[in-house]
Amino acid sequence: MRTGHFTSTAARDRFRTLHRTVVAGLGPTTGRYIDTSHGSVRVLTCEGPAGTPLVLLPGAGSPGVSWEPNVPALRRLATVHLVDPLGGPGASAQDVPIRNLADQVRWLRDVLDALGPCHLVGTSLGGRLAFEVALRAPAGIRTLTLLDPAVTFARIPPGTVAASLGALPGAPAWLRRRFVARLGDGADVGDDPVARLIEAGLSGYASAVPHPSLPSARDVAAVDVRTLVLLGGRSTMLDPVRARERAALLPRGTVEVWPDAGHALPGEFPERVAERLSSLVAA
């Protein structure tokens, strides 16, 4: 099995240039590398008030800095750690192939052990990974927040599966932009630095992460962590009605459908997301 890699030097350089632009918008940050079972993971830290920090996991094909729209509000609550997942574009370096979800949980567990107790937050497929580590190895996870998580409480709709051909390296630029716009509820890639960064990652990085399966009802009921689930009523990655029904099995869960939100819920409503996280953390 292979590891994730940029498809060319030019693709890597373009991504890094756009990455620096987004990082500049975060304000003061510090970075570190954490050695894990499958490679070296880059964590960018945005300091906030003392207390248990937030660890943020981005969606597939996105680096940690794709949380940039949320950082100003979230760092008022606590220190924020932005993780570049292994197998995807970013500053992390994958050394060992990732064969399954157990491997993904293993490297993320190494990161969480190094960072200490946290409030874990994931969006899209980052939410799927956050769910899995909370299920299999929840030590130190004080709360879990899942923002329109993909393949967690409902399957991806067929139309989005078909559109995901635009996520493959080498796909026509117009198809890739259409896919990114679909995830971003129609936002113009050219107008958004984060969307441009995600588009550059999709076009220039060959990911090496297996697609997860849908958790069973028994798995959902076994997550014994206080959990907040926010679902987009206009999401293109899940059926919010079915997802809400399955998420209701969480023994310590609070599930909300935001009718005015799409799959890009975190970026659409950063202040509102921060308010809900504040309530969760306080509880």
Side-chain angles (χ1 to χ4, degrees):
M1 294 182 67
R2 60 185 177 85
T3 58
H5 60 279
F6 283 99
T7 56
S8 68
T9 301
R12 182 197 62 196
D13 291 346
R14 175 173 179 255
F15 180 88
R16 289 180 176 176
T17 297
L18 294 169
H19 189 274
R20 285 193 292 269
T21 299
V22 177
V23 170
L26 292 174
T29 61
T30 57
R32 64 183 289 195
Y33 285 92
I34 297 173
D35 291 332
T36 76
S37 58
H38 287 72
S40 182
V41 174
R42 174 72 165 178
V43 178
L44 200 63
T45 298
C46 307
E47 293 292 340
T52 304
L54 304 169
V55 174
L56 308 187
L57 301 178
S62 304
V65 297
S66 60
W67 286 98
E68 185 268 342
N70 299 88
V71 168
L74 293 181
R75 75 187 308 172
R76 293 198 293 266
L77 304 179
T79 290
V80 176
H81 297 304
L82 308 175
V83 178
D84 279 358
L86 288 175
S92 296
Q94 183 185 1
D95 299 326
V96 178
I98 295 173
R99 300 162 299 175
N100 48 41
L101 268 174
D103 285 348
Q104 288 189 271
V105 168
R106 193 170 293 114
W107 73 254
L108 179 55
R109 187 66 259 174
D110 290 341
V111 171
L112 298 181
D113 289 343
L115 295 176
C118 71
H119 300 287
L120 185 60
V121 184
T123 187
S124 192
L125 282 172
R128 177 68 180 89
L129 178 54
F131 171 93
E132 198 68 21
V133 75
L135 171 66
R136 300 188 187 208
I141 301 175
R142 298 292 186 251
T143 65
L144 175 68
T145 299
L146 307 177
L147 305 178
D148 211 58
V151 203
T152 307
F153 304 115
R155 301 186 189 280
I156 298 175
T160 300
V161 172
S164 67
L165 291 173
L168 298 175
W174 65 268
L175 185 59
R176 185 165 54 252
R177 292 192 182 96
R178 178 180 292 180
F179 175 67
V180 175
R182 183 182 181 91
L183 298 186
D185 199 32
D188 186 351
V189 172
D191 294 339
D192 186 341
V194 172
R196 290 177 62 203
L197 179 65
I198 293 172
E199 188 273 334
L202 292 175
S203 64
Y205 192 89
S207 181
V209 178
H211 193 72
S213 59
L214 188 71
S216 67
R218 178 177 296 180
D219 287 341
V220 176
V223 175
D224 191 25
V225 177
R226 187 183 297 276
T227 304
L228 172 65
V229 181
L230 303 180
L231 305 171
R234 297 183 293 101
S235 175
T236 55
M237 287 295 282
L238 52 81
D239 180 324
V241 175
R242 292 183 178 179
R244 184 174 194 166
E245 291 174 353
R246 178 62 68 90
L249 298 175
L250 290 163
R252 302 175 65 193
T254 298
V255 187
E256 300 175 7
V257 175
W258 290 5
D260 49 347
H263 181 60
L265 182 151
E268 291 172 344
F269 301 100
E271 294 288 344
R272 190 172 165 191
V273 167
E275 288 174 5
R276 293 299 292 114
L277 270 167
S278 179
S279 298
L280 179 71
V281 169

